Amino acid sequence: MSTLLEVSGVSVSFDGFKAINNLSFQIGAQELRAVIGPNGAGKTTFMDIITSKTRPDEGRISYGDKGLSLLSMSESRIAQAGIGRKFQRPTVFEDQSVADNLMMALRKARGPLRVLMFRPTPADHDRIAELAGEIGLSGMLHRKSGELSHGQKQWLEIGMLLAQEPRLLLVDEPAAGMTPAEREHTTDILREAARTRAVVVVEHDMEFVRRLGCKVTVLHEGSVLAEGSIDHVTKNEKVIDVYLGR
Amino acid sequence: MSETSLTSGQTRTPLALRFPSVLVFLAMLALFTLGVTILSEGFGIGVISTSFVKTLGKTLCLCLVALAMDLVWGYCGILSLGHMAFFGLGGYAIGMWLMYERTRLIVVDSLAASELPPTAQEISDGIATQIFGVVGASEFPPVWAFAHSLPIQLAFVVLIPGLLAFVFGWLAFRSRVTGVYLSILTQAMTLALSLYLFQNDSGLRGNNGLSGLQNLPGLDAVPQATVSLWFFWGSAFALGAGYLLCAWIVSGKFGSVIRAIRDDEARVRFLGYPVEAFKLFIFTLTAVIAGIAGALYYPQAGIINPTEIAPIASIYLAVWVAIGGRGRLYGAVIGAAFVSLLSTWFTGGQAPDINLGFYTIQWVNWWTVLLGLSFVAVTLFAPKGIGGLVDIIADRTSPNRHGADLGPDPGALREKEADK
Ligand SMILES: Nc1ncnc2c1ncn2[C@@H]1O[C@H](COP(=O)(O)OP(=O)(O)OP(=O)(O)O)[C@@H](O)[C@H]1O
Ligand SMILES: [Mg+2]
């Protein structure tokens, strides 16, 4: 299996506090990976670095077959290169309808002039309807997304992520605000997505991670504490100490 | 503007049908134009004075620049406090030709009486002395190089504001200057420009500015009553066209993206959109619209001087849009028309003074205070402005779910915590 993303020796500190400490991480082109760790372990910061929201002090990140270095690219270029991200806090454009949110996310040309000339085709509308069905928002396409519940906003953001058709999905706490049934549906969607692309899921909920049934990376104080199957890491002494034993 | 989105099947519906407000607006504008024409001195029954026709024509230009302001601020979230600089530059560009050409005709006329036919140099010197005598110069400054050519000066109406906005925007957006800092920078730009123009050696007649712009060269025989209507029609047409253009821009995906930039520009970047390019596009386009509005305004005002570009002018522009209701095109038009006409009424001395017994409120002085208070009140109590009334009438309010839990499980963050 080819490697899609390789993070090596990355560190970042905020005012002297080392949020990420010599972190290395790899993920294959079709792989599902869960990242767990206590609050403040640096999981979100890790995603910030990959998407260039935060610049690391040192380290390298190479992406894709050609080994692109993400460090010199802007956020929008990185997104165009196929890295999609769902934020911890649901961030959808609340002033706009569900359909508009999805339409913006659809994988199309992103330059101003191309966007200005863009008129959706019936195929685009069908794709949006299909996505809406997948995320359970079919009846809500024309509601403002600000009117959705938090769980529904999470869904919408997952839908936007899928609409982008990224090669690498970074998903930060997707299940917060969801009912058990919805969580199950989320795991299904993520597992399905990982058949054709790489997916990194940050999640606190152990049941959720267990259901994903994938390799788990445990972060602690900005570096990898353990890596392996869920049963393997939950047996790890250090992991029990810092995380599960609390 | 009702921002209902497209459904399949609606793809080919014309813009006007998807946005009934556009049709309504254009119809009202046409009726208004017709009404004023019928009531005017130039072509109608003479109920409305020529000077009032000019006031109305100028108001239409202000509505157009307010539209530009709404696009850049209300839709794209860039609070530019410098758009009146672009408006003024448009006015200067057309004003130079108007002044040059009229002076040339006068000079040629007066030299025709002499025995020898005047040389080109004599004519040029004569024009220069006429125009620049007030600032103690008698030669054409380099900026007047093309003042003799109407097509070139017309091109400058869009090119100069556009170029200035492009360069300014490119520098500012590339360094990711946003929010208050950007507003301050735009204020600095318009202040610097007006201070520069105030200087006598700026080449644009310092604080005298350009004058006599209401007289169209070679058309001295046409009465102002007629000319005023020409400009009125031109302004109405420009406003209608500008409205259509803006409605088209904000209706589709482009509109979605710029509103998204306004609400959360970082998130838009993660969707892969080059936010800076979008901002630059909108900033430059609206500067061009402002330039065109200015080029139509100043021939009706008759005079332009650097005071027009002072920082306060751009602040007023933002106030109009805020009072009218930003983020909807008709709101900007309503705000500009309402506040500027009201302002003309108050500052023109027509408003009755209020005698409080111990103090007389003279509106000429107190109008600004009233305007300031209204602005504060609108910002605090009715952020949607006058346009918000439409929502209340149409019952278009939406529930607010802010501040709730992100999720039911104990590990879930409250929205406030997750905000960081
Ligand atoms: N921009 C920043 N400035 C200063 N400190 C920061 C910044 N971003 C993150 N941190 C700190 O870095 C540490 C790691 O934060 P991060 O958000 O990555 O944790 P996390 O693993 O996502 O935690 P959670 O489970 O609560 O989401 C925290 O201690 C946080 O306070
Ligand atoms: Mg986090």
Side-chain angles (χ1 to χ4, degrees), chain A residues 10-23 38-46 48-49 54 57 219-224:
Chain A
V10 165
S11 300
V12 68
S13 50
F14 299 114
D15 311 320
F17 168 73
K18 274 221 159 176
I20 297 288
N21 191 2
N22 194 19
L23 178 84
N39 286 118
K43 306 181 293 292
T44 301
T45 309
F46 166 63
D48 286 348
I49 290 172
T54 300
D57 304 329
L219 283 193
H220 177 53
E221 292 179 350
S223 39
V224 177

Side-chain angles (χ1 to χ4, degrees), chain B residues 149-388:
Chain B
S149 159
L150 178 60
I152 294 183
Q153 290 299 134
L154 281 178
F156 281 171
V157 165
V158 296
L159 288 182
I160 292 182
L163 198 68
L164 176 63
F166 185 84
V167 172
F168 178 92
W170 190 74
L171 292 171
F173 299 139
R174 195 189 50 140
S175 337
R176 300 227 173 143
V177 181
T178 53
V180 178
Y181 299 100
L182 188 91
S183 304
I184 292 173
L185 264 192
T186 54
Q187 279 270 285
M189 173 197 74
T190 181
L191 179 64
L193 189 64
S194 81
L195 289 181
Y196 173 73
L197 290 176
F198 261 121
Q199 294 180 329
N200 280 344
D201 51 11
S202 68
L204 289 161
R205 308 206 332 150
N207 63 351
N208 306 288
L210 310 179
S211 54
L213 309 183
Q214 72 278 19
N215 305 304
L216 296 185
L219 295 174
D220 291 333
V222 183
Q224 280 293 310
T226 307
V227 173
S228 67
L229 273 170
W230 290 351
F231 274 100
F232 178 78
W233 293 334
S235 308
F237 176 79
L239 179 59
Y243 198 93
L244 263 180
L245 176 71
C246 292
W248 178 69
I249 287 175
V250 303
S251 68
K253 188 159 98 166
F254 192 93
S256 252
V257 173
I258 58 175
R259 278 181 288 138
I261 289 174
R262 170 193 71 193
D263 294 338
D264 189 346
E265 74 172 64
R267 182 73 181 86
V268 180
R269 285 197 187 100
F270 291 115
L271 282 179
Y273 290 98
V275 168
E276 284 67 38
F278 277 81
K279 286 184 170 182
L280 190 56
F281 180 90
I282 283 291
F283 194 73
T284 309
L285 176 75
T286 54
V288 168
I289 296 177
I292 294 172
L296 282 164
Y297 180 93
Y298 287 104
Q300 304 184 67
I303 179 164
I304 179 171
N305 62 46
T307 335
E308 306 280 325
I309 294 178
I312 188 72
S314 297
I315 293 178
Y316 276 135
L317 180 61
V319 170
W320 298 340
V321 174
I323 289 182
R326 69 196 137 106
R328 57 183 91 214
L329 297 176
Y330 58 84
V333 174
I334 292 173
F338 179 69
V339 183
S340 71
L341 284 177
L342 213 58
S343 162
T344 312
W345 189 63
F346 275 117
T347 54
Q350 280 126 303
D353 293 342
I354 296 179
N355 195 339
L356 298 177
F358 57 94
Y359 185 82
T360 308
I361 296 182
Q362 288 170 326
W363 285 116
V364 177
N365 302 324
W366 280 86
W367 156 244
T368 335
V369 176
L370 180 67
L371 182 61
L373 288 177
S374 330
F375 178 56
V376 173
V378 164
T379 314
L380 289 180
F381 304 115
K384 287 178 169 181
I386 300 174

Side-chain angles (χ1 to χ4, degrees), chain A residues 75-76 79-80 87-89 91 94-97 100 104 110 119-120 125 142 147-148 150 157 164 177, chain B residues 5 7 11 176 248 256 262 267 269-274 278 398 401-402 405-408 413 415 419:
Chain A
E75 293 101 314
S76 53
Q80 283 173 27
F87 288 81
Q88 184 160 358
R89 172 195 174 202
T91 43
E94 310 213 337
D95 193 37
Q96 305 194 38
S97 71
D100 286 343
M104 252 189 284
R110 296 305 206 211
R119 286 294 174 262
H125 289 299
H142 299 292
E147 296 172 21
L148 303 179
H150 274 288
E157 212 180 351
Q164 287 179 69
Chain B
S5 55
T7 45
T11 18
R176 300 227 173 143
W248 178 69
S256 252
R262 170 193 71 193
R267 182 73 181 86
R269 285 197 187 100
F270 291 115
L271 282 179
Y273 290 98
F278 277 81
S398 46
R401 292 186 190 261
H402 282 283
D405 284 336
L406 284 190
L413 295 170
E415 183 164 332
D419 227 1

Side-chain angles (χ1 to χ4, degrees), chain A residues 166-178:
Chain A
R167 294 178 66 195
L168 170 64
L169 268 84
L170 304 171
V171 194
D172 206 347
E173 303 204 16
M178 288 187 179

